[in-house]
Amino acid sequence: MKLALQLAYKNLIGAGLRTWLNAIVLSFAFVIIIFFNGLMDGWNQQAKTDTVAWEYGHGQLLHSAYDPFDPFTLQDAHGPIPSNTNLSPILIRSAAIYPEGRIVPVTLKGIDNSNKTLDLPTDILKQSAAENPVIIGKRMAKSNELKKGDNVILRWRDKNGTFDAQTITIAGIFDTEVVSADKGLVWIELDKLWAMTGMQNQATMLIANDQYQHKETAGWTFKTQEELLSTIQKMIDMKKSSSSIMYVLLMAIALLAIFDTQVLSIFRRQKEIGTYVALGMTRPQVVGLFTVEGAMYSLFALVLAALYGTPLLGYLAKTGYAIGEAQQDMGIPIASRIFPVYGIPLVLWTVFFIVIAATIVSYLPARRIAKMDPVAALKGKLQ
Amino acid sequence: MSNIISLTSVTKRFPVGDGEFTALKNINLNVEKGEFSGLVGPSGSGKTTLLNIIGSLDKPTEGQAIVMGKDIAKLTHKESARLRNEHIGFIFQVYNLLPVYTVFENVEFALLLQDYTKAQRKKAVMEALDWVGLASMANKKPSKLSGGEGQRVSIARAIVKRPVILLADEPTANLDAENAHGILKIMKRLNQELDTTFLFSTHDEKVMSYLNRIIHLRDGQIEQDEQITAKSASS
């Protein structure tokens, strides 16, 4: 093996530009695969962190009648708040606002104005001098052309299903990457919502803080943080697997270059192969030498990728990768800039995968050497 | 003296289209250690085929070829490789130097397949290059050498492992007269000083003038086996 490595190294260095062209193509595969996987991991990490901070907390207790995917359950999905200081109650009601005369269905969420569990700026509600202050997200504000200080009519149903309406004031507009804490939502003080609906001490869901220890509570279903985040994980996994098509294409181009070089080498270097055999190398040794040569392309590519990839990927990890605005509304939290995360397992797996793939595509044409007639090879006859 | 090459009724046939071509017919030949002999004959007479069988690069279709006590037909690929690596040196018409290696590395190659230390390899390679007068060119690439120098490197590569048998296939065919004589003198000296057995395949008169034994081949058969007296052979 040591001999094969020594000889392969000399042969590849001796081959000059041909070697470096293959190594450069393969190094692109290294860098791009690591970058995109790092980007996905960074997105995953950011999305989870943001969603925990803005929506999930350390788990949620959902009213047993509440189905987050069925708005019709909202009418009856509420119950008395269990006494636990580690839970922040949220009451959810369907409502509508009328910005400039248009009717816009919204979800009205009542939250304690001293909430510390979620990152929502509920202090604004406490500090506002308006009669009915609310806060909304930047997407909600943009889509309805609302700005801070605007007054808009809000219509809702009380506990008996009777419509009522009042003017609310946009006390603040917050910026979050978590679309589900923003789009179509109006956040109001919980006390105010209780008063408006006549649903004192009622909640639809309870957000747990990091001190919360779960005990079975009748009428409430507990969803752990992991369960809640599993949807994001699934979406990112799906996105990752769809991106793998790009990796396959990229790898196919790089590996095809190696395969092509190997096939060409075996035809062009028949005299050399014959000489190796005449000098006493066994055929498996020659097959091994050519296979190691092919595999060594991936090691050269690794060195090249490290040379230009390390500063490039490091720079992107520091400055982040800008995401288009349109992509930020796709339903999963996407920051305006994603900061790729390159874990050691990601780098090691990528290296392992590319080295193995390069070795296999090098071995396939090299097997032909084992069937070569050394006499014909010495004469350079095509076989 | 003992026979280190012993061929008995060796026949070699090659498939050609639907039929067969007989390259060697019923060859019987013994070569003793230290001989400086040549297979002489026109193109297609079977010289190279016979050398390839002796060098265990090929196997006889019929008959028995015993080289260094080994039956060539019965050797596995691995055993053949070991025989070539340890006991047989090859010199080719077109030198077959490995283009990406330096002169030193080309000569060193055969030793890499054996258990030599780096220091032993260096000593052996420099000795071999001294023999052929190319020690000063150790770091040059084959592309920078003349034809005569290339063939001398090829000789150094063949003798560096001190083989018992050295097979040379038309070694002077690509060389001018001056270089050819220079090469042949080196080989003759190696034969005399190292007692290496040389077997040439040639139709070059210059080579024949150095041989102690000329085996004439025609149409795959030995036509004449001629012993040359020491006086008549060049030295």
Side-chain angles (χ1 to χ4, degrees), chain A residues 11 275-277 279 283 375, chain B residues 52 77 84-85 96 101 109:
Chain A
N11 287 345
T275 307
Y276 287 140
V277 173
L279 291 176
R283 289 181 205 186
V375 173
Chain B
N52 288 337
H77 283 308
R84 285 192 296 270
N85 183 237
N96 286 28
Y101 298 171
F109 186 90

Side-chain angles (χ1 to χ4, degrees), chain B:
Chain B
M1 288 176 88
S2 59
N3 290 331
I4 55 170
I5 300 169
S6 177
L7 308 182
T8 312
S9 305
V10 165
T11 296
K12 179 68 184 177
R13 285 188 284 268
F14 294 105
V16 179
D18 295 332
E20 278 185 332
F21 167 73
T22 305
L24 296 173
K25 289 176 206 161
N26 198 32
I27 298 285
N28 291 292
L29 176 71
N30 291 314
V31 177
E32 290 177 355
K33 184 161 170 35
E35 279 194 22
F36 199 75
S37 5
L39 303 167
V40 176
S43 292
S45 57
K47 306 185 296 287
T48 301
T49 304
L50 195 52
L51 275 194
N52 288 337
I53 289 173
I54 294 167
S56 81
L57 288 170
D58 209 347
K59 291 184 176 182
T61 313
E62 285 168 22
Q64 196 177 42
I66 307 286
V67 177
M68 302 286 299
K70 313 264 185 198
D71 188 341
I72 296 294
K74 291 179 181 166
L75 294 179
T76 63
H77 283 308
K78 202 172 173 180
E79 288 165 341
S80 293
R82 183 179 292 174
L83 178 68
R84 285 192 296 270
N85 183 237
E86 291 175 359
H87 302 298
I88 302 174
F90 286 91
I91 298 170
F92 304 102
Q93 182 179 339
V94 287
Y95 330 138
N96 286 28
L97 298 178
L98 302 167
V100 298
Y101 298 171
T102 61
V103 165
F104 183 93
E105 288 163 346
N106 262 285
V107 178
E108 187 189 27
F109 186 90
L111 303 181
L112 290 172
L113 301 170
Q114 297 180 17
D115 297 329
Y116 282 77
T117 64
K118 195 174 177 183
Q120 286 172 325
R121 287 202 303 269
K122 189 174 179 187
K123 185 169 176 279
V125 171
M126 292 316 291
E127 265 178 25
L129 286 173
D130 263 341
W131 265 97
V132 296
L134 287 178
S136 61
M137 294 191 173
N139 294 320
K140 285 199 173 177
K141 286 278 172 75
S143 58
K144 304 286 179 197
L145 304 177
S146 67
E149 288 166 344
Q151 193 59 295
R152 277 148 68 193
V153 175
S154 171
I155 294 169
R157 180 176 66 183
I159 59 155
V160 71
K161 57 190 179 187
R162 300 292 165 99
V164 181
I165 303 166
L166 215 151
L167 304 173
D169 188 6
E170 306 276 11
T172 55
N174 285 4
L175 301 178
D176 56 43
E178 191 187 349
N179 270 311
H181 281 295
I183 295 290
L184 287 162
K185 279 176 184 164
I186 290 169
M187 294 198 207
K188 190 79 183 174
R189 189 157 59 93
L190 287 168
N191 167 249
Q192 286 167 349
E193 294 185 22
L194 302 180
D195 202 25
T196 307
T197 309
F198 276 76
L199 187 58
F200 292 81
S201 135
T202 187
H203 51 244
D204 184 345
E205 295 288 338
K206 294 186 288 294
V207 177
M208 286 185 244
S209 67
Y210 284 82
L211 300 176
N212 299 126
R213 180 184 176 190
I214 298 176
I215 300 142
H216 294 270
L217 285 176
R218 183 171 289 275
D219 298 330
Q221 289 178 302
I222 294 178
E223 195 180 50
Q224 190 188 350
D225 191 345
E226 187 183 1
Q227 292 288 341
I228 313 293
T229 58
K231 197 178 172 186
S232 60
S234 300
S235 57

Side-chain angles (χ1 to χ4, degrees), chain A residues 364-379:
Chain A
L364 294 176
R367 281 181 312 170
R368 206 183 153 80
I369 295 168
K371 294 173 190 162
M372 270 186 187
D373 172 9
V375 173
L378 274 169
K379 289 176 184 165

